[in-house]
Amino acid sequence: MTLQQTENKASLEDVLHYDNHGVVSRLSRNLCLPMEEAEELFRDTLTFLWLTQQENESIAPPSIIDEGWHSFILFTRDYAEFCQREFGVFIHHVPKTERDSVSDRDCILRTIKAVKKHLDPVLISDNWGWAKEGAISGRVGCGLDCSPDYDCNGTVNCT
């Protein structure tokens, strides 16, 4: 994710008022989720996009929220209009590559800190996975982050 701070910071409440049935339907269909779970995932995706604009450094979503972001981006006009209206800037998705200098652990820690600082980790959905658990427990390590996002050998899907 390319970070671009702006003066146009929408409230989380405003961001969560956005509705896009097309994206939710796509999430339901492609991820085999009931509509209620697809709607929750879309809300989590919107929350993550809002969270990116609260921080001065890049953060990364857990993999399921990243899937929600990928689906939203495919609705290019809707996504661009949403970003411009809510944040005043297009939020680019820049996948992590092996050549990136930012360590995976640093990326995880920044995301966990952002969740803890701006959201109530107890109240967010389980879609937040390692970010939720790390914010609640205050630690990152094997036994906590063993998931598709973190393989307990230091490799993280930090997109």
Side-chain angles (χ1 to χ4, degrees), residues 18-27 35 39 42 75 78:
Y18 180 75
D19 184 40
N20 190 311
H21 183 71
V23 176
V24 172
S25 294
R26 183 181 183 89
L27 289 170
M35 284 299 285
E39 289 167 355
F42 188 59
F75 290 75
D78 294 345

Side-chain angles (χ1 to χ4, degrees), residues 4-114:
Q4 297 177 349
Q5 281 301 108
T6 68
E7 296 299 320
N8 184 15
K9 288 188 180 179
S11 71
L12 180 57
E13 184 177 328
D14 289 340
V15 168
L16 292 177
H17 277 106
Y18 180 75
D19 184 40
N20 190 311
H21 183 71
V23 176
V24 172
S25 294
R26 183 181 183 89
L27 289 170
S28 176
R29 183 178 61 253
N30 289 356
L31 299 176
C32 300
L33 296 173
M35 284 299 285
E36 183 176 295
E37 289 179 29
E39 289 167 355
E40 179 179 66
L41 176 55
F42 188 59
R43 283 190 306 273
D44 290 338
T45 301
L46 297 175
T47 300
F48 175 77
L49 292 170
W50 174 84
L51 194 60
T52 68
Q53 299 303 292
Q54 309 311 304
E55 294 299 304
N56 290 321
E57 296 182 278
S58 294
I59 61 172
S63 62
I64 190 70
I65 294 174
D66 194 41
E67 288 299 320
W69 191 4
H70 294 171
S71 291
F72 192 11
I73 289 171
L74 292 175
F75 290 75
T76 56
R77 285 189 181 98
D78 294 345
Y79 179 73
E81 289 171 4
F82 168 81
C83 288
Q84 190 62 45
R85 182 180 60 252
E86 299 299 337
F87 310 118
V89 65
F90 186 89
I91 302 173
H92 291 275
H93 184 293
V94 181
K96 180 162 177 41
T97 65
E98 291 179 23
R99 294 184 307 255
D100 289 340
S101 61
V102 177
S103 82
D104 293 337
R105 185 166 178 80
D106 289 345
C107 189
I108 286 176
L109 292 174
R110 282 195 311 273
T111 303
I112 290 170
K113 284 181 185 178

Side-chain angles (χ1 to χ4, degrees), residues 111-122:
T111 303
I112 290 170
K113 284 181 185 178
V115 167
K116 191 171 189 172
K117 179 179 175 182
H118 299 287
L119 304 173
D120 184 340
V122 175

